[in-house]
Amino acid sequence: MRLEVEITGKTFRSAAGEQHDVISGACFALDAGEVGVLVGPSGCGKSTMLRIIAGLDHDYQGCVSRPTGARIGFVFQEPRLLPWRSVEDNVRIAAPAADEAKLSALFEILELKAHRNHFPGELSLGLARRVALARAFAIEPELLILDEPLASLDVALAARLRDEIAILMEGRSMIALLVTHDLDDAVRLGDRVLLLSSRPARVLADLPIRTPRSARGEAEIAAIRADIMRRINGSSTDQAAS
């Protein structure tokens, strides 16, 4: 099972009729069990890239090859829950055949056990994000796409939720692709970090992290993060010079 991405161009027209280039060169591949992380400046086209990869946007140049018939779990920047449905119903709508034992384990890991009968309007942002994650994991996806799932959360809550995502990813053979602005999230969750340029986005570097997630110590995480920062600062200098 493999995801192959080659997006050579993506443009859109504004309401005023002006053409804007969003992506100019994104080429990478991920195998089963790998977590790729897209890191780049705000507005560079990361979310657009995810929509193309998920098959939600077909207006681009290039080719995206997804595993045939793969179940796709997509966690958007906003939780996108149905306000008239309970937490459990929001999850079961996406995964009607979900095994009760597996669903209960999922709710337990994501700290949703006490909220199964609550409605989205009764939830904090952190809980709503957990429901969105539960919905995506409940379908047992072969391809999981996460668009800034920890955005707008305080540091402690984001760290706890990041650990829960890592637990859910452990041992699964799915392909996962995550967008984040936080290098700590990238280094703690990813197996590969893909650095993107400013718009129009292109892949500046594809950086593998050899050590398994569960074995990464704080010193190694800090060293990897510092190396990525050096590369980001170096690429910014090169782009400014050109």
Side-chain angles (χ1 to χ4, degrees):
M1 191 167 65
R2 184 174 173 85
L3 170 70
E4 297 180 348
V5 177
E6 187 177 358
I7 304 171
T8 56
K10 167 64 181 177
T11 62
F12 73 88
R13 288 194 177 276
S14 68
E18 298 173 331
Q19 180 170 297
H20 298 272
D21 294 326
V22 183
I23 302 171
S24 65
C27 183
F28 61 90
L30 293 170
D31 291 312
E34 278 195 299
V35 179
V37 185
L38 296 173
V39 176
S42 295
C44 75
K46 299 184 293 296
S47 293
T48 300
M49 198 177 299
L50 293 187
R51 289 179 59 82
I52 291 172
I53 291 169
L56 300 176
D57 185 344
H58 302 280
D59 183 20
Y60 69 95
Q61 293 77 52
C63 179
V64 173
S65 177
R66 293 178 294 275
T68 303
R71 293 185 300 277
I72 300 175
F74 201 136
V75 178
F76 296 89
Q77 287 186 22
E78 299 300 325
R80 297 193 180 188
L81 306 178
L82 298 176
W84 58 89
R85 296 281 189 173
S86 67
V87 164
E88 180 158 355
D89 285 345
N90 264 281
V91 175
R92 286 196 178 277
I93 284 172
D99 177 85
E100 175 58 32
K102 289 182 179 178
L103 201 59
S104 294
L106 190 57
F107 284 147
E108 183 75 34
I109 291 169
L110 289 170
E111 302 178 43
L112 290 170
K113 188 176 179 180
H115 303 282
R116 292 176 74 145
N117 295 319
H118 290 171
F119 287 80
E122 302 173 282
L123 305 177
S124 66
L125 177 60
L127 286 171
R129 289 197 182 282
R130 284 184 164 88
V131 179
L133 285 163
R135 184 175 55 193
F137 276 100
I139 69 170
E140 299 189 351
E142 281 108 5
L143 174 59
L144 176 66
I145 297 174
L146 305 163
D147 193 356
E148 298 195 60
L150 308 177
S152 305
L153 302 179
D154 65 62
V155 174
L157 179 56
R160 193 161 80 240
L161 188 50
R162 182 183 61 223
D163 291 343
E164 292 164 7
I165 292 172
I167 291 170
L168 291 171
M169 285 180 169
E170 201 62 40
R172 295 177 184 256
S173 61
M174 65 186 179
I175 300 165
L177 189 58
L178 164 72
V179 160
T180 182
H181 284 95
D182 191 319
L183 286 184
D184 213 43
D185 295 341
V187 174
R188 291 177 187 275
L189 289 175
D191 300 304
R192 302 248 304 281
V193 177
L194 300 156
L195 298 184
L196 301 179
S197 69
S198 56
R199 183 184 289 188
R202 58 188 177 87
V203 176
L204 297 173
D206 183 343
L207 310 173
I209 302 176
R210 306 295 184 190
T211 307
R213 278 188 299 278
S214 59
R216 293 171 201 166
E218 292 300 321
E220 182 176 11
I221 286 170
I224 296 170
R225 189 170 55 233
D227 178 55
I228 293 172
M229 277 302 305
R230 282 194 295 271
R231 291 173 182 267
I232 290 173
N233 292 333
S235 65
S236 298
T237 302
D238 291 343
Q239 288 184 63
S242 62

